[in-house]
Amino acid sequence: MTSPLLTTPGAVSADSPDSDVAAHYGDPSHEARAMERSSAWVDRSNRGVVRVTGPDRLSWLNDITSQLTRDLAPGVATESLVLDTRGHLRHHLSLVDDGETTWIHTEPGGGPALAEFLDSMVFMLRVEVEDRSDALSVLTVLGPERSRVTTVAEGVVQRDTEDQTDLFVPSGDLVAVAEKLTAAGARPAGMWPYEAHRIAAHRARPGLDSDERSIPHEMDWIGSAVHLEKGCYPGQETVARVHNLGRPPRRLVMLHLDGTVERLPKLGSDIELAGRKVGRVGTSSRHHELGPIALGLVKRTVPVDADLVVDGIAAGQEVVVDPDTGANANLDDFRRKPR
């Protein structure tokens, strides 16, 4: 469903999978600066939203996902993964519990599939799952002033992480809440600066930066979305084996792209070293300070100081996942705050 906020003056539609929301509102550089220096809201109403209720919901989520949720306190944001039995990603969950309900958002179009999977895992437990993608929309507020700005969104469920606040807004109130945020001083900002901000923060986007073979160690999800000291869940064997016995075959890198080239690399294009394919590129964007940047997956054995070529564009790499991640890793290094 196309967002009504695309009628905001200056709005330009983003590319797939975000074509239903704005890429920017006429000035992506100033929008990006507002994210860092004051406050900005980003329309992410294309996100899938799932609601889980019932007294068994947190212990049940604990048993089927990668995160420790059994004793999750109300208002504490976290993220989690649904893995298959081989440890490959099926779903990524950004969630918060309010004491009565667990609120989850996931990638665009992913709400129905996630709700269907979760519902299939309920069995005899006191849990109810509902896809609320049509009824609830996500507005994300960023910037050092966001805590002041978000007070205008009274009665709206909020998921507050280290650098952003996600608002679960009733879809019929989306425009009204956005207008309140603007009146409170937040600048409208699109997916172009938001994605640049995310890439610069080394946060992989599921399904774009990952592929069907991705495992959590490759994507820098250990600690933020995968808890290493919890009980069994699907895919745990792979996580434990890589952590204790081996290393992942690939590693996430941030790519600094040649700024003299006008285009960005195509999603999924080859990353090459000396004419040989060594990986694939994921999402890319133009950062207001760093210039064109991207995330990519490369073979673990690629030297960390090697210059690469991405879809014909020269690129330097910035290490996100260390090549030695795995068997020799210190558990304390992975106890990070949720993102």
Side-chain angles (χ1 to χ4, degrees):
M1 181 184 299
T2 300
S3 173
L5 291 173
L6 274 175
T7 62
T8 302
V12 175
S13 179
D15 295 329
S16 180
D18 299 313
S19 54
D20 290 335
V21 297
H24 61 82
Y25 295 90
D27 194 344
S29 292
H30 281 87
E31 294 167 25
R33 290 187 178 92
M35 289 182 183
E36 296 182 355
R37 301 176 184 177
S38 54
S39 62
W41 59 260
V42 180
D43 179 11
R44 301 172 76 207
S45 59
N46 58 336
R47 301 281 293 176
V49 177
V50 174
R51 180 175 68 184
V52 181
T53 56
D56 296 331
R57 67 190 182 283
L58 292 178
S59 58
W60 167 75
L61 283 169
N62 190 81
D63 291 342
I64 63 174
T65 74
S66 63
Q67 188 57 273
L68 181 65
T69 61
R70 187 179 303 277
D71 298 315
L72 186 65
V76 175
T78 191
E79 57 182 323
S80 191
L81 309 175
V82 172
L83 305 173
D84 66 18
T85 55
R86 295 186 177 183
H88 299 144
L89 177 69
R90 293 186 63 179
H91 299 282
H92 179 277
L93 291 66
S94 297
L95 63 91
V96 67
D97 193 88
D98 64 8
E100 296 182 353
T101 300
T102 301
W103 304 90
I104 301 167
H105 67 77
T106 190
E107 284 297 304
L114 175 59
E116 181 179 4
F117 167 77
L118 292 177
D119 193 55
S120 72
M121 301 298 291
V122 170
F123 304 116
M124 299 298 291
L125 297 174
R126 296 169 297 171
V127 175
E128 294 185 7
V129 180
E130 184 180 4
D131 174 30
R132 299 288 288 168
S133 302
D134 291 338
L136 292 170
S137 299
V138 176
L139 275 178
T140 295
V141 186
L142 302 96
E145 299 178 8
R146 74 182 190 279
S147 60
R148 175 186 61 81
V149 169
T150 53
T151 59
V152 303
E154 297 179 12
V156 173
V157 175
Q158 300 190 12
R159 177 181 179 270
D160 193 26
T161 69
E162 188 174 8
D163 72 340
Q164 69 183 48
T165 300
D166 299 327
L167 306 177
F168 291 79
V169 181
S171 296
D173 297 335
L174 181 63
V175 173
V177 172
E179 289 176 346
K180 288 182 179 179
L181 295 172
T182 303
R187 180 170 186 147
M191 291 301 295
W192 173 346
Y194 179 81
E195 289 289 86
H197 172 83
R198 176 186 60 79
I199 293 168
H202 298 170
R203 293 200 298 267
R205 185 167 176 183
L208 299 178
D209 297 311
S210 65
D211 60 20
E212 69 282 355
R213 296 185 293 117
S214 296
I215 59 176
H217 278 87
E218 296 177 334
M219 307 306 302
D220 199 33
W221 282 327
I222 302 301
S224 61
V226 177
H227 198 287
L228 293 173
E229 297 179 335
K230 59 165 287 184
C232 295
Y233 58 91
Q236 186 195 29
E237 182 179 352
T238 296
V239 172
R241 183 169 63 248
V242 171
H243 187 72
N244 294 312
L245 301 176
R247 295 179 176 87
R250 300 178 298 176
R251 58 184 179 88
L252 188 71
V253 296
M254 190 177 90
L255 301 164
H256 293 268
L257 304 168
D258 182 359
T260 65
V261 179
E262 294 184 359
R263 65 183 177 86
L264 293 171
K266 184 178 179 181
L267 178 70
S269 296
D270 291 347
I271 298 175
E272 298 180 336
L273 172 61
R276 178 172 54 91
K277 179 181 176 180
V278 294
R280 68 177 291 275
V281 70
T283 50
S284 59
S285 188
R286 297 186 186 277
H287 193 275
H288 68 291
E289 291 181 343
L290 300 176
I293 54 177
L295 291 176
L297 274 174
V298 299
K299 293 180 179 179
R300 182 181 62 82
T301 54
V302 171
V304 297
D305 58 352
D307 291 326
L308 306 171
V309 176
V310 184
D311 194 16
I313 304 170
Q317 58 171 309
E318 183 173 322
V319 175
V320 178
V321 173
D322 192 284
D324 291 328
T325 291
N328 297 320
N330 185 332
L331 184 63
D332 291 335
D333 293 340
F334 296 109
R335 290 172 177 158
R336 303 197 310 268
K337 296 179 180 179
R339 301 179 296 188

